[in-house]
Amino acid sequence: MPALPALCLRPRDLRRGAVLTLAFLASVGAAASTGCWDREEPGAPAVLAAGATAPEPAAPPRASGTADREAVARAAAEAVAEGKSGKKAAQEVVSRSGDRWGTVYDRREYAAFAEGLDGRWTGVGLWTERRPDGLIEVDKVQPDSPAARAGLRAGDRLLSVDGRAVTGLAANDVTALLRGEEGTPVVLGLSRGGADLTETVRREQLRTEPVTVRRLPGGITVIKVASFTRGSGERVRAAVHAAPAGAGVMLDLRGNPGGLVAEAVTAASAFLDGGLVATYDVRGEERALYAAPGGDTARPLVALVDGGTMSAAELLTGALQDRGRAVAVGSRTFGKGSVQMPTALPDGSVAELTVGTYRTPAGRSLDGAGITPDLTAGDGTEERAATVLGGLGVGP
């Protein structure tokens, strides 16, 4: 079965051998909590002009700084034959390759990501990031989660999970340690202000609302998209449709780590009347993503972005900016515009390896560069955006 591409700014789709079926691919194609869940799903709307199931070249070129999938699979197979961990062997090859976004998941980890596609998972409510020095820092704490009730907060350093040191681990691996069965305890070793502390929390089923809507004075509608999980694109379209006639919209993509690319394309369709959203390559073969026709092309629109705007969220922002549909306000986005494809390994683990990059309608590659907003704003981003909308004839 030909592989389907996954656009990651933060992950992916499932490349298979005979073991995994298309149905399994549709249900568990998920991305990691490093901030990249981006992928295409079979049958998703507004997808590839070149056809998602087109066969790959017989000897596809490999971009620099990426892992060779045959070498990864071979290392895993040899390890399994020797009674060793296929995942560990594959990860060593990926690490040596310089593939910044390449990673390897075991069966349990990969299945857990499927929950995230629906905006739910079992964990403690922590988002972490790895600093350049290898330290793991708490980036966000979900309100009313086990971590929040234990008093954890952004800026805490995570030192260990159940006694295992996490310094130097990839963020994906840290997330895998934090997840597990509902009700099971997890012991967190932390550092705050130079003092070490230990907290024991119990994992719970957690959910996030990917799209929330509120109104500002003057009828401006703020549509906050936390991530592009299933159904988020249609929720954006519904929010635009329900906005007061003629009123402006702030599309808040700040802190959005990405998600399902098809959902970002659907969100773009709320503001565009068809046309190109992005192009991308898979091992040298260029493909394209198009918006559906019939979007609201007249309503004044501002996109709010920051350094936490990643991947699919950057893809959406770049499309609206290049198409002259929105003014981007905030700070430079993260800059993750790489394409990953999964490879099934003999022990059931999955290696997701970088195979290319995506580009905006104007041909900009966002990987490593991000998006520069039209207007720079810091703490007063929303106020600045309201001023922009006022200049476009809407607002109080």
Side-chain angles (χ1 to χ4, degrees):
M1 183 182 71
L4 299 181
L7 294 165
C8 181
L9 21 79
R10 219 171 193 278
R12 320 148 163 153
D13 242 335
L14 197 43
R15 169 173 192 77
R16 290 328 286 182
V19 181
L20 294 174
T21 65
L22 184 63
F24 181 74
L25 172 63
S27 66
V28 301
S33 65
T34 54
C36 178
W37 297 340
D38 310 312
R39 60 178 60 256
E40 286 297 333
E41 290 192 289
V47 289
L48 320 177
T53 58
E56 298 175 29
R62 181 164 60 93
S64 60
T66 64
D68 181 89
R69 60 182 178 176
E70 285 77 16
V72 172
R74 184 167 56 250
E78 291 173 354
V80 170
E82 296 172 2
K84 300 178 181 178
S85 169
K87 174 191 173 183
K88 183 177 180 181
Q91 188 62 64
E92 289 175 354
V93 175
V94 173
S95 298
R96 291 196 302 268
S97 73
D99 189 339
R100 182 183 179 191
W101 301 108
T103 191
V104 184
Y105 308 106
D106 63 26
R107 287 179 184 270
R108 181 181 62 82
E109 293 165 350
Y110 206 72
F113 296 144
E115 292 183 313
L117 293 177
D118 291 319
R120 61 183 179 86
W121 70 95
T122 302
V124 300
L126 284 183
W127 283 266
T128 63
E129 62 179 359
R130 175 178 167 171
R131 295 181 6 170
D133 57 7
L135 292 174
I136 303 299
E137 190 169 278
V138 175
D139 181 43
K140 292 188 296 184
V141 180
Q142 182 173 344
D144 197 32
S145 65
R149 293 193 293 271
L152 274 67
R153 54 181 183 257
D156 288 347
R157 291 183 182 177
L158 184 62
L159 304 178
S160 64
V161 177
D162 285 335
R164 178 178 175 181
V166 298
T167 299
L169 293 183
N172 287 347
D173 294 331
V174 175
T175 298
L177 293 175
L178 293 170
R179 292 186 176 183
E181 294 185 11
E182 184 176 5
T184 57
V186 56
V187 181
L188 307 178
L190 302 149
S191 176
R192 179 185 300 159
D196 292 346
L197 60 151
T198 301
E199 294 288 350
T200 300
V201 297
R202 289 189 178 275
R203 298 176 176 96
E204 294 180 2
Q205 271 280 330
L206 300 172
R207 296 191 66 89
T208 57
E209 177 54 59
V211 180
T212 55
V213 181
R214 58 191 172 90
R215 295 255 160 72
L216 298 180
I220 293 174
T221 298
V222 181
I223 304 173
K224 170 68 176 178
V225 186
S227 61
F228 286 107
T229 53
R230 283 198 186 96
S232 57
E234 285 298 338
R235 293 186 186 188
V236 171
R237 287 163 62 110
V240 173
H241 182 74
V249 166
M250 291 185 195
L251 182 63
D252 190 351
L253 300 174
R254 292 174 294 180
N256 184 319
L260 295 168
V261 171
E263 296 295 340
V265 173
T266 300
S269 300
F271 305 103
L272 300 172
D273 186 15
L276 185 63
V277 173
T279 60
Y280 65 99
D281 58 87
V282 176
R283 301 188 186 277
E285 179 184 350
E286 184 170 283
R287 304 177 185 181
L289 298 162
Y290 291 94
D296 188 334
T297 61
R299 187 184 299 275
L301 175 64
V302 170
L304 309 183
V305 298
D306 65 7
T309 304
M310 302 175 66
S311 203
E314 292 178 284
L315 180 150
L316 172 58
T317 304
L320 296 175
Q321 195 180 46
D322 281 4
R323 298 279 301 273
R325 184 61 191 88
V327 176
V329 176
S331 54
R332 184 185 295 273
T333 63
F334 184 84
K336 189 173 193 310
S338 58
V339 180
Q340 275 72 38
M341 296 184 79
T343 296
L345 302 178
D347 61 351
S349 55
V350 176
E352 291 200 329
L353 311 175
T354 301
V355 297
T357 58
Y358 69 77
R359 293 166 297 281
T360 69
R364 293 182 291 166
S365 175
L366 304 178
D367 202 39
I371 292 175
T372 300
D374 300 295
L375 293 174
T376 301
D379 294 337
T381 298
E382 200 166 289
E383 292 76 9
R384 189 79 183 271
T387 301
V388 171
L389 287 173
L392 297 174
V394 300

